[in-house]
Amino acid sequence: MFRVFGIVLSFLLALALAGWALAVSVGPRALADGIELYQYRQYFDRILGDTAPRATRPMVVWLGDSTIMGGERPSYPQLLRGQLHRKNADSLVIAGAAFDPYIYYFAVGRVIERLNPSVVIMVAHLAAFSPRGSARIFRYNDLSSYITPAQLPRAFLLPLAERELSPARLLLAQALNFDGPKRIFFGAEGLRELYAKAPFWAALGPPRPPRVFNPRMRDTLTSYNVRVSRRQPTVRMLEAAVRVVTEAGRVAMVIATPIPHEALATRAWHDPAKMQQGFDVLREVVEGAGGMFVDLHRLLPQREFADYGGHFAATGAQHMSYAVWPMVREALRRASLAHTADGTGTPG
């Protein structure tokens, strides 16, 4: 018995010593690599952390994908910032590659809690509703940690399984709101990255055989070939995100972003009537949840797009700013009226 105990104790001590040696030797690098892998989370923590200043005057928060990031050139939210300032209103863009209604739902409760916006505007990109869309690659499931405790009971009833999020994983993600678990998470992810990229793997050959070329994968327009229905998981997440905003007494607006409809017209599978039915479904869902819906999917000619992914050329961004501005003013007007009517102290 004592011999077995000694063997087990020796094994545990050896394991602890190996873990300590590993932490000392590669721990700092693994932590740095993990933080780099999840750099978008640092972006969110900076905006929605404990030190985020709450708005003291009307604020418009934009939630969207890369079409409004304004990296290479300003997009329409950036172009409208000056006009909002002249209206005594602030503007903040929270956007990232392939952000979709799942990400909006993950973040919007914390956005309202920390930033106190009057208006929340969300971008609905048709490609985000496609099973062939970027969401298969960009999950951002760690951002589910931003779901507020008040949202959790309803969140368990939403189609989170589509993103491989179970109720248990959703609760576990809440630990990422604390520094200790977050550092462990980053360190583990960085360690996994170091292991996967270790040079000794090269001796075994490529980790997977090269993909067979599929010409359809080169046509980004196929991501717009989608049938939108109320039961679709991404549609349900959009409805849930809008409800979080409207039930908090704020104005929610969803903009159906322009898509390259002229290029789509050259594809045999394209059916404009069925596509319009999909946007009509989105309108019904958003307005049913108390939000405003702005359908601009056919607004821009092809020359005002920078690519088929829906990113704008400079003229397209300017065109969008002209089209969106009246609706933003209307949203601010509604927010002001709601503030006057309920006297809750929400900036209006």
Side-chain angles (χ1 to χ4, degrees):
M1 182 66 181
F2 287 106
R3 184 180 178 184
V4 172
F5 178 77
I7 292 173
V8 172
L9 182 60
S10 298
F11 173 75
L12 292 177
L13 287 174
L15 195 63
L17 184 62
W20 174 82
L22 189 64
V24 170
S25 59
V26 300
R29 183 181 171 188
L31 179 61
D33 284 1
I35 291 174
E36 179 65 23
L37 283 171
Y38 289 84
Q39 56 183 301
Y40 62 86
R41 188 173 182 91
Q42 315 308 308
Y43 163 70
F44 268 82
D45 283 346
R46 190 166 57 251
I47 294 174
L48 302 177
D50 295 334
T51 59
R54 285 174 61 83
T56 56
R57 63 178 187 170
M59 171 183 275
V60 176
V61 171
W62 309 77
L63 297 177
D65 57 13
S66 56
T67 62
I68 67 166
M69 284 175 64
E72 294 183 5
R73 66 180 67 87
S75 190
Y76 60 94
Q78 291 81 18
L79 294 176
L80 290 175
R81 188 171 290 146
Q83 288 166 273
L84 284 165
H85 284 177
R86 286 191 288 274
K87 286 282 186 181
N88 195 38
D90 292 320
S91 176
L92 177 66
V93 177
I94 302 176
F99 280 11
D100 68 354
Y102 276 86
I103 313 304
Y104 305 161
Y105 182 79
F106 293 164
V108 73
R110 183 74 69 91
V111 164
I112 292 170
E113 184 180 89
R114 296 291 168 85
L115 301 178
N116 193 32
S118 306
V119 178
V120 177
I121 301 176
M122 295 172 249
V123 171
H125 195 154
L126 182 61
F129 299 88
S130 170
R132 294 177 292 277
S134 301
R136 293 179 304 166
I137 303 171
F138 300 100
R139 291 296 179 93
Y140 301 111
N141 281 350
D142 63 291
L143 296 181
S144 64
S145 64
Y146 291 121
I147 294 177
T148 64
Q151 288 177 258
L152 283 173
R154 289 188 183 180
F156 294 146
L157 303 177
L158 292 172
L160 297 177
E162 290 291 320
R163 297 291 172 88
E164 299 179 357
L165 274 174
S166 64
R169 287 182 176 180
L170 202 62
L171 290 173
L172 186 61
Q174 297 293 307
L176 294 177
N177 292 314
F178 303 95
D179 286 340
K182 188 162 57 176
R183 289 175 65 85
I184 293 172
F185 170 73
F186 286 148
E189 285 292 280
L191 189 62
R192 184 172 68 170
E193 184 77 358
L194 289 173
Y195 174 76
K197 292 185 176 179
F200 60 76
W201 292 114
L204 301 177
R208 61 178 66 87
R211 292 180 178 178
V212 177
F213 176 71
N214 180 356
R216 286 180 60 83
M217 294 181 67
R218 304 293 298 175
D219 186 359
T220 57
L221 291 174
T222 58
S223 62
Y224 299 109
N225 186 18
V226 56
R227 297 293 179 259
V228 178
S229 71
R230 288 188 64 95
R231 292 182 297 176
Q232 199 170 359
T234 314
V235 175
R236 290 177 60 193
M237 295 304 297
L238 179 63
E239 179 181 20
V242 171
R243 286 195 186 279
V244 171
V245 179
T246 57
E247 289 180 359
R250 321 303 165 94
V251 176
M253 181 195 299
V254 174
I255 297 175
T257 194
I259 57 176
H261 59 92
E262 290 180 354
L264 287 169
T266 66
R267 300 300 189 263
W269 48 260
H270 179 56
D271 186 337
K274 287 186 177 180
M275 183 169 284
Q276 184 60 57
Q277 288 176 6
F279 285 102
D280 292 341
V281 168
L282 294 181
R283 179 184 296 278
E284 180 184 348
V285 165
V286 170
E287 293 181 350
M292 302 168 61
F293 186 76
V294 182
D295 185 0
L296 301 178
H297 82 277
R298 292 180 60 86
L299 177 70
L300 300 184
Q302 193 60 44
R303 66 179 180 277
E304 294 188 343
F305 286 101
D307 53 37
Y308 285 167
H311 302 94
F312 310 121
T315 54
Q318 193 69 58
H319 193 166
M320 280 291 291
S321 69
Y322 296 146
V324 169
W325 176 236
M327 300 306 297
V328 175
R329 284 188 307 181
E330 172 62 17
L332 285 168
R333 187 189 70 83
R334 294 187 186 187
S336 179
L337 290 175
H339 168 58
T340 303
D342 62 27
T344 58
T346 302

